[in-house]
Amino acid sequence: KAGVTQTPRYLIKTRGQQVTLSCSPISGHRSVSWYQQTPGQGLQFLFEYFSETQRNKGNFPGRFSGRQFSNSRSEMNVSTLELGDSALYLCASSLHLGQPQHFGDGTRLSIL
Amino acid sequence: AQSVSQHNHHVILSEAASLELGCNYSYGGTVNLFWYVQYPGQHLQLLLKYFSGDPLVKGIKGFEAEFIKSKFSFNLRKPSVQWSDTAEYFCAAMEYNQGGKLIFGQGTELSVKP
């Protein structure tokens, strides 16, 4: 069974640009969550989607948004990028809400 | 506010030593608890989980954890570590019946000397 797939693996952007990250969950998993990992703040929850609806949201500004498609694939968008958005963005999927989550390798975003 | 704290930032052990990593959470209600491991260059993997029942849970690779409700703790243990256990370990909590929002601790980096 293929794991959680995140694309791209690496991204370099400049301040003010926007970026879209993609996540394909494990087949059959319907819940997708996103996390930001930085050396200073650790792993922080961004949001969670289930059945194309956002079910939970973390404490991030509105520049961070996401969506989920009918096939459970998810995208995360960050607009007006700031230097502090440089991080590893992790996607996790689970069969259902509240179930153990399986993580992808992440997308490393660097802002210049 | 809901939070998870891990006592040790960096632990260094020799092979065959015993391991205990501390984790405390602050939640008012019922929680599900997890330990994840991140080996160098790899993605986060689930080591073990506690949802309910026996407070002593066993996970993969010989790891176990004990849920002590009165102490709000979920410490990870392994009787004898190996060099291959070198990794970063994360404790995480999920509020019961509130979706899948995981709150992570800061992580503990474990270095095992051969």
Side-chain angles (χ1 to χ4, degrees):
Chain A
K1 207 177 204 183
V4 177
T5 304
Q6 291 187 245
T7 56
R9 290 295 308 279
Y10 302 93
L11 262 180
I12 300 176
K13 292 285 186 180
T14 56
R15 280 184 299 171
Q17 287 186 309
Q18 74 158 18
V19 68
T20 299
L21 312 182
S22 180
C23 172
S24 293
I26 292 172
S27 177
H29 284 196
R30 297 173 61 197
S31 174
V32 173
S33 299
W34 289 87
Y35 296 84
Q36 182 196 64
Q37 186 175 23
T38 59
Q41 300 297 317
L43 278 152
Q44 293 187 286
F45 173 80
L46 279 156
F47 26 65
E48 176 186 34
Y49 287 87
F50 180 80
S51 292
E52 302 176 67
T53 302
Q54 188 178 90
R55 302 293 178 143
N56 258 309
K57 191 176 190 308
N59 296 326
F60 279 81
R63 300 186 295 106
F64 291 81
S65 63
R67 58 178 176 168
Q68 186 181 33
F69 302 95
S70 58
N71 62 358
S72 295
R73 192 177 70 83
S74 177
E75 285 182 349
M76 188 191 105
N77 186 275
V78 188
S79 62
T80 319
L81 287 165
E82 300 176 0
L83 291 176
D85 297 334
S86 293
L88 181 67
Y89 290 88
L90 296 172
C91 172
S93 74
S94 60
L95 276 168
H96 203 281
L97 291 172
Q99 294 300 306
Q101 296 175 12
H102 301 262
F103 284 80
D105 290 327
T107 294
R108 186 163 296 281
L109 175 63
S110 299
I111 311 303
L112 304 180
Chain B
Q2 302 156 346
S3 66
V4 174
S5 63
Q6 294 180 235
H7 310 316
N8 313 99
H9 199 61
H10 192 185
V11 172
I12 302 172
L13 295 173
S14 298
E15 276 194 313
S18 64
L19 170 73
E20 180 158 4
L21 300 182
C23 172
N24 285 93
Y25 63 92
S26 66
Y27 274 82
T30 305
V31 292
N32 298 326
L33 296 161
F34 307 83
W35 276 97
Y36 282 86
V37 60
Q38 191 169 31
Y39 297 104
Q42 296 188 29
H43 60 262
L44 277 165
Q45 299 174 41
L46 181 66
L47 264 183
L48 47 77
K49 62 184 185 293
Y50 174 78
F51 275 40
S52 63
D54 189 342
L56 185 62
V57 292
K58 295 191 183 302
I60 60 171
K61 306 188 182 189
F63 286 91
E64 65 178 31
E66 185 175 13
F67 170 59
I68 303 179
K69 190 174 181 179
S70 60
K71 294 184 178 180
F72 298 90
S73 70
F74 189 57
N75 292 354
L76 181 71
R77 298 195 293 248
K78 186 171 184 178
S80 175
V81 294
Q82 301 172 315
W83 176 79
S84 58
D85 293 324
T86 294
E88 190 155 16
Y89 293 80
F90 294 92
C91 180
M94 180 190 292
E95 198 169 358
Y96 176 74
N97 227 19
Q98 294 296 318
K101 176 181 177 179
L102 279 170
I103 303 295
F104 282 90
Q106 308 94 308
T108 297
E109 189 179 340
L110 172 66
S111 300
V112 180
K113 298 184 293 185

